[in-house]
Amino acid sequence: MARRRGQETIRDMVLSLGVVMLGVALFTLFMPRGGSDPVSAVDTAAPLAAFARSAPFDVAEPAGLPSYWKATSIRTQPPPGASRANVVELRIGYVVDRPGNRTYAQLNQGNAADAVARVLGDRPVTGTARLAGESWQERRDDAGHLAFTRQVGDVVLIVSDGGGEGGASAADLGTLASSLRPHTA
């Protein structure tokens, strides 16, 4: 015999709550977890080769980075506001993916006269560093973010921690800067 609405017992409510809680428990048990997701690396070989063919300068590329360095983005384009057709820029983003310690680094290179100001703002030169036998300018902002810059002819190389949270250490940025070699076809 069916009860009319409003005449449920405590037992009925506990059973209904049990069914709902079982559903929540199953959902929680099988829900995907975040935090340990693998880094999706991108292949930089083809875009880098295409950029090197079209760039009006000799392109530098990282060589021999440790396996925990993963390129996660690559972008080639003329910089915003470039008035000359032969002004180009390359940006590669990296995740330095060590167990329990994931940080970020970025390589920019291009021949725009205002490249440093566009990428780093008004970050001043705070020192120099000798990396792989080459002199680099060290630029640190008030928040402690670090970048190394180097001018080679008309080309500006910038190795930075990206300016956000989780930026790579000075040692890691030095590793990236020291790995740069002329692109070979």
Side-chain angles (χ1 to χ4, degrees), residues 11-39:
R11 179 180 178 270
D12 294 335
M13 287 188 273
V14 169
L15 288 174
S16 294
L17 183 60
V19 169
V20 169
M21 293 305 292
L22 179 63
V24 169
L26 287 173
F27 178 77
T28 303
L29 181 65
F30 294 109
M31 185 172 73
R33 304 268 189 254
S36 64
D37 52 327
V39 173

Tab-separated table of all heavy atoms in Angstrom, residues 11-39:
chain	number	residue	atom	x	y	z
A	11	ARG	N	13.127	6.336	8.102
A	11	ARG	CA	13.784	5.244	7.381
A	11	ARG	C	13.781	5.505	5.883
A	11	ARG	O	14.793	5.326	5.204
A	11	ARG	CB	13.068	3.924	7.699
A	11	ARG	CG	13.669	2.742	6.984
A	11	ARG	CD	12.909	1.456	7.350
A	11	ARG	NE	13.440	0.342	6.632
A	11	ARG	CZ	13.019	-0.067	5.430
A	11	ARG	NH1	12.044	0.574	4.823
A	11	ARG	NH2	13.578	-1.097	4.844
A	12	ASP	N	12.700	5.972	5.329
A	12	ASP	CA	12.603	6.281	3.896
A	12	ASP	C	13.594	7.390	3.518
A	12	ASP	O	14.263	7.324	2.484
A	12	ASP	CB	11.189	6.712	3.529
A	12	ASP	CG	10.163	5.609	3.686
A	12	ASP	OD1	10.550	4.432	3.607
A	12	ASP	OD2	8.979	5.949	3.876
A	13	MET	N	13.696	8.403	4.364
A	13	MET	CA	14.600	9.506	4.074
A	13	MET	C	16.062	9.059	4.154
A	13	MET	O	16.890	9.450	3.344
A	13	MET	CB	14.336	10.671	5.028
A	13	MET	CG	13.032	11.403	4.691
A	13	MET	SD	12.814	12.898	5.644
A	13	MET	CE	12.031	12.240	7.103
A	14	VAL	N	16.393	8.208	5.139
A	14	VAL	CA	17.760	7.701	5.266
A	14	VAL	C	18.116	6.845	4.056
A	14	VAL	O	19.223	6.944	3.511
A	14	VAL	CB	17.938	6.925	6.595
A	14	VAL	CG1	19.247	6.157	6.630
A	14	VAL	CG2	17.853	7.880	7.778
A	15	LEU	N	17.219	6.010	3.578
A	15	LEU	CA	17.464	5.193	2.385
A	15	LEU	C	17.676	6.076	1.151
A	15	LEU	O	18.573	5.828	0.347
A	15	LEU	CB	16.322	4.200	2.159
A	15	LEU	CG	16.254	3.018	3.137
A	15	LEU	CD1	14.989	2.197	2.885
A	15	LEU	CD2	17.480	2.153	3.023
A	16	SER	N	16.874	7.092	0.994
A	16	SER	CA	17.023	8.011	-0.142
A	16	SER	C	18.364	8.740	-0.074
A	16	SER	O	19.070	8.876	-1.080
A	16	SER	CB	15.896	9.041	-0.158
A	16	SER	OG	14.663	8.418	-0.397
A	17	LEU	N	18.737	9.214	1.113
A	17	LEU	CA	20.011	9.886	1.287
A	17	LEU	C	21.167	8.927	1.002
A	17	LEU	O	22.164	9.304	0.394
A	17	LEU	CB	20.122	10.443	2.711
A	17	LEU	CG	21.389	11.242	3.019
A	17	LEU	CD1	21.486	12.457	2.099
A	17	LEU	CD2	21.394	11.665	4.466
A	18	GLY	N	21.041	7.673	1.383
A	18	GLY	CA	22.064	6.661	1.128
A	18	GLY	C	22.291	6.453	-0.363
A	18	GLY	O	23.424	6.329	-0.824
A	19	VAL	N	21.205	6.427	-1.139
A	19	VAL	CA	21.324	6.261	-2.587
A	19	VAL	C	22.047	7.462	-3.204
A	19	VAL	O	22.930	7.309	-4.040
A	19	VAL	CB	19.918	6.051	-3.227
A	19	VAL	CG1	19.987	6.148	-4.737
A	19	VAL	CG2	19.320	4.733	-2.791
A	20	VAL	N	21.707	8.672	-2.767
A	20	VAL	CA	22.356	9.880	-3.277
A	20	VAL	C	23.845	9.884	-2.902
A	20	VAL	O	24.712	10.167	-3.728
A	20	VAL	CB	21.647	11.150	-2.748
A	20	VAL	CG1	22.465	12.400	-3.054
A	20	VAL	CG2	20.258	11.258	-3.338
A	21	MET	N	24.159	9.533	-1.651
A	21	MET	CA	25.552	9.522	-1.201
A	21	MET	C	26.359	8.462	-1.944
A	21	MET	O	27.542	8.683	-2.243
A	21	MET	CB	25.634	9.296	0.317
A	21	MET	CG	25.066	10.458	1.121
A	21	MET	SD	25.791	12.057	0.724
A	21	MET	CE	27.433	11.822	1.336
A	22	LEU	N	25.769	7.333	-2.262
A	22	LEU	CA	26.450	6.299	-3.039
A	22	LEU	C	26.818	6.841	-4.421
A	22	LEU	O	27.922	6.631	-4.912
A	22	LEU	CB	25.581	5.043	-3.163
A	22	LEU	CG	26.187	3.899	-3.970
A	22	LEU	CD1	27.447	3.388	-3.294
A	22	LEU	CD2	25.180	2.785	-4.155
A	23	GLY	N	25.906	7.569	-5.051
A	23	GLY	CA	26.183	8.184	-6.354
A	23	GLY	C	27.321	9.193	-6.274
A	23	GLY	O	28.208	9.221	-7.124
A	24	VAL	N	27.326	10.019	-5.229
A	24	VAL	CA	28.395	11.004	-5.041
A	24	VAL	C	29.730	10.296	-4.818
A	24	VAL	O	30.761	10.675	-5.382
A	24	VAL	CB	28.069	11.954	-3.865
A	24	VAL	CG1	29.274	12.799	-3.479
A	24	VAL	CG2	26.884	12.836	-4.223
A	25	ALA	N	29.737	9.230	-4.021
A	25	ALA	CA	30.964	8.485	-3.754
A	25	ALA	C	31.517	7.856	-5.031
A	25	ALA	O	32.726	7.899	-5.285
A	25	ALA	CB	30.718	7.411	-2.695
A	26	LEU	N	30.648	7.277	-5.845
A	26	LEU	CA	31.103	6.682	-7.109
A	26	LEU	C	31.653	7.747	-8.048
A	26	LEU	O	32.677	7.548	-8.701
A	26	LEU	CB	29.966	5.909	-7.780
A	26	LEU	CG	29.592	4.590	-7.109
A	26	LEU	CD1	28.338	4.009	-7.761
A	26	LEU	CD2	30.742	3.608	-7.179
A	27	PHE	N	30.983	8.882	-8.133
A	27	PHE	CA	31.452	9.970	-8.982
A	27	PHE	C	32.829	10.437	-8.517
A	27	PHE	O	33.750	10.636	-9.323
A	27	PHE	CB	30.456	11.130	-8.953
A	27	PHE	CG	30.893	12.312	-9.761
A	27	PHE	CD1	30.796	12.309	-11.146
A	27	PHE	CD2	31.441	13.431	-9.142
A	27	PHE	CE1	31.219	13.394	-11.892
A	27	PHE	CE2	31.862	14.516	-9.877
A	27	PHE	CZ	31.752	14.494	-11.252
A	28	THR	N	33.011	10.621	-7.227
A	28	THR	CA	34.283	11.080	-6.677
A	28	THR	C	35.387	10.061	-6.911
A	28	THR	O	36.526	10.411	-7.229
A	28	THR	CB	34.138	11.356	-5.166
A	28	THR	OG1	33.100	12.317	-4.978
A	28	THR	CG2	35.428	11.880	-4.573
A	29	LEU	N	35.069	8.792	-6.780
A	29	LEU	CA	36.046	7.732	-6.954
A	29	LEU	C	36.585	7.679	-8.381
A	29	LEU	O	37.775	7.497	-8.601
A	29	LEU	CB	35.415	6.379	-6.580
A	29	LEU	CG	36.316	5.157	-6.685
A	29	LEU	CD1	37.439	5.258	-5.671
A	29	LEU	CD2	35.513	3.894	-6.451
A	30	PHE	N	35.719	7.869	-9.361
A	30	PHE	CA	36.121	7.738	-10.756
A	30	PHE	C	36.378	9.067	-11.458
A	30	PHE	O	36.652	9.103	-12.645
A	30	PHE	CB	35.070	6.933	-11.533
A	30	PHE	CG	34.983	5.510	-11.076
A	30	PHE	CD1	33.886	5.057	-10.365
A	30	PHE	CD2	36.022	4.636	-11.321
A	30	PHE	CE1	33.817	3.752	-9.928
A	30	PHE	CE2	35.966	3.327	-10.892
A	30	PHE	CZ	34.855	2.882	-10.187
A	31	MET	N	36.313	10.171	-10.737
A	31	MET	CA	36.545	11.490	-11.315
A	31	MET	C	38.026	11.644	-11.662
A	31	MET	O	38.889	11.246	-10.884
A	31	MET	CB	36.139	12.557	-10.299
A	31	MET	CG	36.220	13.962	-10.829
A	31	MET	SD	35.525	15.161	-9.675
A	31	MET	CE	36.777	15.176	-8.418
A	32	PRO	N	38.350	12.224	-12.843
A	32	PRO	CA	39.766	12.440	-13.197
A	32	PRO	C	40.429	13.374	-12.188
A	32	PRO	O	39.816	14.313	-11.710
A	32	PRO	CB	39.705	13.086	-14.577
A	32	PRO	CG	38.307	13.026	-15.025
A	32	PRO	CD	37.444	12.675	-13.866
A	33	ARG	N	41.651	13.096	-11.878
A	33	ARG	CA	42.406	13.898	-10.915
A	33	ARG	C	43.295	14.890	-11.661
A	33	ARG	O	43.853	14.582	-12.688
A	33	ARG	CB	43.293	13.000	-10.057
A	33	ARG	CG	42.533	11.915	-9.350
A	33	ARG	CD	42.106	12.390	-7.983
A	33	ARG	NE	41.566	11.283	-7.219
A	33	ARG	CZ	40.285	11.126	-6.975
A	33	ARG	NH1	39.421	11.985	-7.451
A	33	ARG	NH2	39.851	10.116	-6.260
A	34	GLY	N	43.478	16.064	-11.109
A	34	GLY	CA	44.381	17.061	-11.675
A	34	GLY	C	45.692	17.052	-10.923
A	34	GLY	O	45.892	16.302	-9.988
A	35	GLY	N	46.607	17.890	-11.343
A	35	GLY	CA	47.855	18.053	-10.615
A	35	GLY	C	48.998	17.219	-11.150
A	35	GLY	O	50.112	17.680	-11.208
A	36	SER	N	48.770	15.992	-11.524
A	36	SER	CA	49.860	15.164	-12.012
A	36	SER	C	49.709	14.892	-13.507
A	36	SER	O	50.263	13.936	-14.021
A	36	SER	CB	49.902	13.845	-11.238
A	36	SER	OG	48.720	13.108	-11.484
A	37	ASP	N	48.947	15.736	-14.167
A	37	ASP	CA	48.725	15.546	-15.594
A	37	ASP	C	50.041	15.733	-16.346
A	37	ASP	O	50.852	16.569	-16.004
A	37	ASP	CB	47.654	16.498	-16.116
A	37	ASP	CG	47.921	17.942	-15.756
A	37	ASP	OD1	48.490	18.174	-14.670
A	37	ASP	OD2	47.572	18.824	-16.542
A	38	PRO	N	50.249	14.912	-17.369
A	38	PRO	CA	51.490	15.033	-18.132
A	38	PRO	C	51.507	16.313	-18.968
A	38	PRO	O	50.472	16.834	-19.348
A	38	PRO	CB	51.470	13.792	-19.028
A	38	PRO	CG	50.036	13.409	-19.132
A	38	PRO	CD	49.385	13.861	-17.852
A	39	VAL	N	52.681	16.785	-19.216
A	39	VAL	CA	52.857	17.981	-20.035
A	39	VAL	C	52.734	17.582	-21.497
A	39	VAL	O	53.351	16.626	-21.944
A	39	VAL	CB	54.246	18.605	-19.763
A	39	VAL	CG1	54.519	19.747	-20.713
A	39	VAL	CG2	54.345	19.055	-18.329
